[in-house]
Amino acid sequence: MELGLKDRVALVAAASKGLGFACALELAREGAKVALFARTEEAIQAAARRIREETGAEALPLVADVTKEKDIANAVSKTVEHFKALHILVPNSGGPPPGTFASLGEAEWHTAIESTLLSTVRLIREALPHLQQAGWGRIVVITSTSVRQPIPGLLLSNTLRTGVVGLCKTLAQELAPYGITVNNVGPGSFDTDRIKLLLERRARERGISVEEARRQMEAAIPLGRLGRPEELAHMVAFLASDAAAYVTGQTILVDGGQTVAL
């Protein structure tokens, strides 16, 4: 399928590794020019270099923290300054820390609100004038399956990512007249550093090995395995493309069938 992404300009957040990097790499493979940012200079430079080597596409590495408003504004402005346009935005922040209502204090809530909800709000706010100017835009937010089925022990994710879905559902209606679509992808259990941390926590709580915790997690997935980051990236690239021009306001789960909620 021809996705029509050649020479489109994309900005991907938290993209030095994991799902964010996979999305930046896939967009580049489809012909997009990609700006990507993360907090660590060395890591984001290495990610951009790998994208250039594997795809031949232009990749602009930027250092920015999604929790800092000035960093977000700077990342968007540098992307537009370098590529002279912006068409695709992929907000991504990684997951907030696990915890229960009893274990989470005021500080954890404020940090999670900044990283999970306000980072998305700020990225869209900064990018929106450029998408409107282009008369064509795609906003694809990486959320979680927790927006459909709350995950025990992930109270912050269950609460705040649902707020992101409400934001995007509303924006899909507000931005449709400008030719801008807004969608979410909800990854399930993917083989990333985030999952490794959750597996270590689960292993400690249950008094089992990390290997056994992984086996139990995979057994709960109908497809019988963790997802590969590129499998989520395929969906992001589709939603960012001309092929998905009539898809907006949706949350699409990529989870191997793990979520049983309707």
Side-chain angles (χ1 to χ4, degrees), residues 7-102:
D7 293 329
R8 295 292 189 187
V9 177
L11 174 61
V12 184
S16 63
K17 60 183 179 178
L19 299 178
F21 172 76
C23 291
L25 179 62
E26 183 64 21
L27 290 167
R29 281 181 173 146
E30 291 294 335
K33 301 174 183 178
V34 179
L36 58 162
F37 72 82
R39 291 176 295 179
T40 307
E41 173 84 32
E42 183 178 357
I44 201 64
Q45 289 285 353
R49 184 164 55 250
R50 180 179 165 190
I51 289 172
R52 295 189 203 103
E53 291 171 352
E54 293 191 18
T55 69
E58 291 187 66
L60 175 67
L62 300 168
V63 177
D65 185 333
V66 295
T67 66
K68 297 180 179 179
E69 189 173 358
K70 289 184 178 179
D71 282 13
I72 289 175
N74 189 50
V76 172
S77 65
K78 283 190 174 181
T79 299
V80 175
E81 180 182 352
H82 184 84
F83 290 118
K84 310 306 179 188
L86 179 59
H87 306 102
I88 300 163
L89 179 69
V90 184
N92 174 40
S93 62
T100 62
F101 190 78

Side-chain angles (χ1 to χ4, degrees), residues 18 25 40 62 65 75 84 110 116 121 128-129 138 144-145 168-169 178 190 197 202 241-243 245:
L25 179 62
T40 307
L62 300 168
D65 185 333
K84 310 306 179 188
H110 280 291
T116 305
V121 171
L128 185 54
R138 301 286 186 266
S144 166
T145 57
C168 293
K169 190 72 171 181
Y178 300 98
F190 278 77
L197 290 174
R202 182 177 295 185
S241 73
D242 285 333

